[in-house]
């Protein structure tokens, strides 16, 4: 940043286990989003390694390979939903499948199915601005989970939602991740959201200051 060098992450060493729900907890500026983006192949670390499944080194991939990696392996849920405003709920959920070359009929069936599961069966043709924040986040959850990627990243997924809606959104993500045996990595500054995790990683000034199993993990193996 200008003349000043900001170390967003320092000396991070972290193993994430398959099927776990991991929470990155910390105050604003502690490095949570940077760590999430690095793990998801959205950002590159200046040094170090990110190894997926014990063999795939993200730091060695080209931009094109990273795009492919994300397309087939990860889903994202963001604080501000990041839906395309001109597309309906159904079209937003279908879009990623279109890029993967899945035929229209098949992708619409998959999108309708998951929109029903997130409770938006009657909102499929609505655009984002015609929906509440909670409904928009459900659409973005449907989009992230529609083809059940092995890893789900959520950056402050409840950051713009009221308490009741936050609980609904977290229950929904947790249930989907359990059903499909997905690894869920959630960034939050909020202890109530962290309550859904099997394991809490607390960050401060770009470092991990706590790594604790909190025992929420159901036996899903
Ligand atoms: N693009 C950037 N350029 C410079 N500094 C940045 C950039 N992105 C984040 N930072 C800094 O890195 C640190 C960690 O940021 P971030 O990962 O966004 O934290 P969090 O998600 O925990 O709020 C902060 O000090 C932030 O100001
Ligand atoms: Mg952040």
């Amino acid at each position: 940043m200008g003349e000043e060098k900001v170390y967003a992450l320092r000396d991070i060493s972290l193993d994430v286990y398959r099927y776990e729900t991991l929470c990155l907890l910390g105050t604003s500026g502690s490095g949570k989003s940077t760590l999430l983006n690095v793990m998801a192949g959205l950002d590159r670390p200046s040094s170090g390694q990110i190894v997926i499944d014990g063999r795939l080194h993200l730091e060695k991939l080209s931009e094109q390979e990273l795009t492919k990696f994300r397309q087939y392996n990860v889903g994202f849920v963001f604080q501000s939903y990041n839906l395309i405003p001109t597309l309906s709920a159904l079209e937003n959920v279908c879009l990623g499948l279109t890029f993967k070359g899945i035929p229209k009929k098949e992708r619409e069936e998959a999108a309708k199915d998951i929109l029903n599961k997130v409770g938006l069966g009657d909102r499929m043709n609505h655009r984002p601005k015609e929906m509440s924040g909670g409904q928009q986040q459900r659409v973005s959850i449907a989009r992230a989970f529609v083809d059940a990627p092995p890893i789900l990243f959520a950056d402050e997924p409840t950051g713009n939602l009221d308490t009741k809606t936050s609980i609904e959104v977290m229950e929904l993500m947790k249930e989907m991740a359990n059903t499909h045996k997905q690894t869920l990595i959630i960034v939050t500054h909020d202890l109530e959201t962290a309550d859904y995790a099997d394991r809490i990683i607390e960050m401060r000034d770009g470092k991990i200051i706590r790594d604790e199993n909190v025992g929420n993990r159901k036996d899903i193996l």
Side-chain angles (χ1 to χ4, degrees):
M1 218 162 47
E3 291 293 290
E4 201 189 342
K5 211 164 188 167
V6 177
Y7 290 92
L9 299 176
R10 296 169 196 255
D11 300 324
I12 298 282
S13 180
L14 174 65
D15 285 312
V16 182
Y17 299 96
R18 196 171 292 206
Y19 313 147
E20 80 179 340
T21 296
L22 182 90
C23 177
L24 301 174
L25 180 69
T27 52
S28 175
S30 57
K32 308 181 296 296
S33 293
T34 305
L35 181 55
L36 181 142
N37 290 343
V38 160
M39 288 197 282
L42 284 169
D43 262 346
R44 278 177 195 283
S46 43
S47 65
Q49 303 181 324
I50 310 107
V51 188
I52 307 286
D53 216 9
R55 58 197 159 81
L56 183 69
H57 281 254
L58 294 192
E59 78 284 357
K60 290 182 184 162
L61 300 186
S62 67
E63 285 306 318
Q64 207 177 359
E65 289 166 331
L66 275 179
T67 304
K68 255 234 146 86
F69 163 77
R70 290 194 303 265
Q71 204 174 16
Y72 287 92
N73 296 283
V74 307
F76 293 96
V77 174
F78 300 97
Q79 175 172 1
S80 48
Y81 327 125
N82 292 14
L83 299 172
I84 297 183
T86 53
L87 299 183
S88 68
L90 185 69
E91 290 164 336
N92 265 288
V93 176
C94 279
L95 192 61
L97 304 177
T98 310
F99 289 125
K100 284 185 192 169
I102 294 168
K104 187 163 191 249
K105 193 160 169 266
E106 219 174 291
R107 62 181 190 250
E108 283 194 359
E109 263 168 31
K112 280 179 186 166
D113 185 48
I114 195 147
L115 281 165
N116 276 318
K117 284 200 183 108
V118 303
L120 289 176
D122 56 347
R123 291 284 186 282
M124 299 213 193
N125 297 316
H126 289 227
R127 298 212 179 139
K129 68 167 190 292
E130 299 159 352
M131 289 183 275
S132 69
Q135 288 170 334
Q136 290 185 59
Q137 196 60 305
R138 282 165 186 273
V139 176
S140 94
I141 289 170
R143 176 183 58 186
F145 281 90
V146 65
D147 52 355
I151 315 172
L152 247 297
F153 291 98
D155 194 344
E156 306 269 8
T158 60
N160 287 353
L161 305 175
D162 60 58
T163 308
K164 181 171 167 282
T165 313
S166 297
I167 292 170
E168 289 167 6
V169 157
M170 288 309 299
E171 298 272 351
L172 187 61
M173 282 207 290
K174 188 77 198 185
E175 188 198 312
M176 292 217 175
N178 274 344
T179 308
H180 298 287
K181 295 188 176 175
Q182 288 152 305
T183 306
L184 184 55
I185 299 175
I186 304 164
V187 158
T188 188
H189 62 270
D190 162 34
L191 283 171
E192 261 129 54
T193 300
D195 255 352
Y196 288 87
D198 304 317
R199 180 174 163 212
I200 294 178
I201 304 285
E202 193 175 341
M203 298 186 66
R204 186 182 297 158
D205 298 332
K207 291 182 179 160
I208 293 174
I209 57 165
R210 177 162 76 109
D211 178 349
E212 192 179 343
N213 276 312
V214 285
N216 278 327
R217 181 173 178 165
K218 296 195 187 88
D219 189 11
I220 53 165
L221 297 178

